[in-house]
């Protein structure tokens, strides 16, 4: 276990190799701890077929809900959403931190060629924001679908270290803003 960023980098690298020559293929990332319901993948794929370059499962989309998350984590996630929408606005995006996403392979291949190393092993949960901001440089069409996030189904405690995640996420944002 080398952390979330290493896992995302390894998984996306393998998926992109598998999708070589198939720019319209779709790659879906999600948590494997029973917090992300797989039944919304079909809705995400429909949005991709209708022309989206990325679809984010969002707890902030109309109809989205969160169960089992501490009040502190809910507040911090809400504040992060507001800060990112103000400082790094992206049309169609309210949930910058959720990793439950569908990506068009061709778009992700372009991003990966330029910035896959941005997802360094020390970035932790901030890697989700970094990947989204890297994608934003291509000005993709991004849509959100409602997510019912089920932390009440998660076995064991979260591995997220809150202060470290805040620090690293702010570092990602500042680096993005400075160009």
């Amino acid at each position: 276990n080398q952390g979330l960023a290493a896992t995302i980098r390894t998984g996306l690298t393998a998926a992109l190799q598998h999708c070589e020559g198939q720019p319209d293929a779709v790659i879906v990332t999600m948590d494997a701890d029973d917090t992300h319901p797989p039944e919304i993948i079909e809705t995400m794929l429909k949005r991709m077929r209708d022309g989206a370059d990325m679809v984010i499962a969002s707890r902030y989309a109309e109809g989205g809900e969160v169960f089992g998350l501490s009040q502190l984590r809910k507040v911090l996630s809400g504040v992060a959403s507001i800060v990112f929408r103000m400082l790094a606005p992206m049309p169609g995006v309210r949930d910058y931190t959720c990793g439950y996403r569908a990506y068009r392979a061709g778009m992700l291949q372009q991003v990966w060629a330029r910035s896959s190393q941005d997802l360094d092993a020390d970035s932790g949960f901030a890697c989700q924001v970094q990947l989204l901001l890297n994608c934003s440089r291509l000005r993709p069409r991004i849509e959100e679908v409602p997510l019912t996030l089920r932390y009440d189904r998660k076995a064991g405690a979260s591995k997220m270290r809150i202060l470290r995640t805040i620090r690293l996420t702010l570092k990602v944002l500042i680096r993005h803003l400075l160009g």
Side-chain angles (χ1 to χ4, degrees):
N1 183 359
Q2 297 177 6
L4 180 61
T7 300
I8 294 292
R9 187 174 55 237
T10 300
L12 289 179
T13 298
L16 288 169
Q17 288 171 352
H18 182 74
C19 294
E20 189 69 38
Q22 302 174 64
D24 287 327
V26 176
I27 298 168
V28 176
T29 61
M30 64 187 291
D31 289 359
D33 59 2
D34 203 25
T35 59
H36 292 164
E39 56 270 11
I40 65 173
I41 291 174
E42 188 54 43
T43 303
M44 296 169 84
L45 293 176
K46 181 183 182 326
R47 297 282 183 93
M48 297 294 285
R49 286 190 297 271
D50 291 343
D53 297 304
M54 180 191 306
V55 177
I56 300 171
S58 171
R59 60 205 133 169
Y60 304 118
E62 186 174 331
E65 298 179 273
V66 178
F67 293 98
L69 200 61
S70 73
Q71 196 60 36
L72 174 63
R73 289 272 304 273
K74 285 181 186 179
V75 169
L76 290 173
S77 293
V79 169
S81 176
I82 292 167
V83 168
F84 276 96
R85 283 186 282 156
M86 286 176 23
L87 298 177
M90 296 171 61
V93 178
R94 288 170 284 211
D95 200 331
Y96 285 71
T97 59
C98 184
Y100 195 177
R101 301 175 183 163
Y103 301 91
R104 188 161 314 281
M107 177 201 65
L108 202 50
Q109 286 165 336
Q110 290 178 55
V111 169
W112 216 243
R114 286 190 240 174
S115 59
S116 66
Q117 296 309 308
D118 284 354
L119 300 182
D120 63 70
D122 292 332
S123 67
F125 288 88
C127 73
Q128 301 291 7
V129 173
Q130 181 66 56
L131 183 56
L132 181 61
L133 293 175
N134 289 349
C135 289
S136 75
R137 293 184 176 113
L138 297 176
R139 303 197 188 285
R141 179 175 152 197
I142 303 174
E143 297 185 15
E144 290 186 333
V145 297
L147 167 66
T148 300
L149 183 62
R150 299 298 308 252
Y151 261 75
D152 57 330
R153 293 182 180 168
K154 182 177 176 64
S158 173
K159 292 180 178 80
M160 180 186 291
R161 294 178 16 215
I162 293 175
L163 292 177
R164 180 177 186 269
T165 299
I166 292 169
R167 181 177 50 81
L168 292 172
T169 303
L170 288 173
K171 182 178 171 182
V172 164
L173 177 61
I174 291 166
R175 192 170 22 163
H176 175 77
L177 293 173
L178 296 176

